[in-house]
Amino acid sequence: ALPHQVGVLPSPCPRRVKRLAPAGYIRGHPDLLHEQQLGFGFRFFVSARLDKQLAERLVNFEATICQWPEVVACWLKNGRFDYLLRVAVTDLHEFERFLTANLTRINGVASIESSIPLRRVKERAARLV
């Protein structure tokens, strides 16, 4: 899949990956895992707003969510909410447990808003051109 994505023949692809990884162009394995096949077919986005954007609140929030395997990506952002999280869970029950037992209990979280993606329209590991 990687040779096709980057437009090279399969044979030189492993050699190029070996050369690009130490130079910092590749972080980790370049293939994307299929979360649904792994049993985490229920994905959602959560926007979280902190009560104050103090350094200690940001550090605490980030350290806490980095411990949870359900959070597969997180961005600090500007706008109405401070963070955008991408979360992958097994089902609606785990979604509810994650929100009520974990996310809403972080000190300083003022509000959250979640949304469920209906269908992935496009995804790439990175921009190549």
Side-chain angles (χ1 to χ4, degrees):
L2 180 62
H4 177 68
Q5 287 178 337
V6 297
V8 298
L9 296 172
S11 58
C13 192
R15 184 174 59 247
R16 289 183 182 184
V17 168
K18 273 187 172 179
R19 192 172 68 236
L20 291 172
Y25 289 98
I26 297 174
R27 296 180 313 186
H29 198 276
D31 290 332
L32 296 175
L33 297 175
H34 195 285
E35 289 169 339
Q36 191 166 2
Q37 291 294 101
L38 294 169
F40 306 108
F42 198 81
R43 297 168 302 272
F44 61 99
F45 293 97
V46 175
S47 296
R49 182 178 353 177
L50 303 181
D51 57 358
K52 299 174 186 169
Q53 276 202 345
L54 300 173
E56 65 193 46
R57 291 270 203 259
L58 300 173
V59 168
N60 178 60
F61 182 87
E62 293 171 14
T64 303
I65 62 103
C66 283
Q67 296 174 19
W68 297 330
E70 298 93 342
V71 178
V72 295
C74 180
W75 299 267
L76 175 65
K77 58 185 233 47
N78 68 342
R80 196 170 128 213
F81 288 92
D82 299 308
Y83 289 96
L84 176 65
L85 291 75
R86 190 169 76 79
V87 178
V89 293
T90 57
D91 56 25
L92 190 57
H93 177 71
E94 189 179 5
F95 167 72
E96 178 187 11
R97 184 206 50 79
F98 174 78
L99 289 180
T100 59
N102 293 18
L103 196 57
T104 58
R105 294 182 183 223
I106 298 176
N107 187 28
V109 171
S111 65
I112 60 169
E113 182 178 293
S114 60
S115 60
I116 301 169
L118 300 176
R119 166 172 63 93
R120 182 173 293 155
V121 176
K122 180 179 179 179
E123 181 177 45
R124 294 186 75 161
R127 182 176 173 185
L128 301 174
V129 291

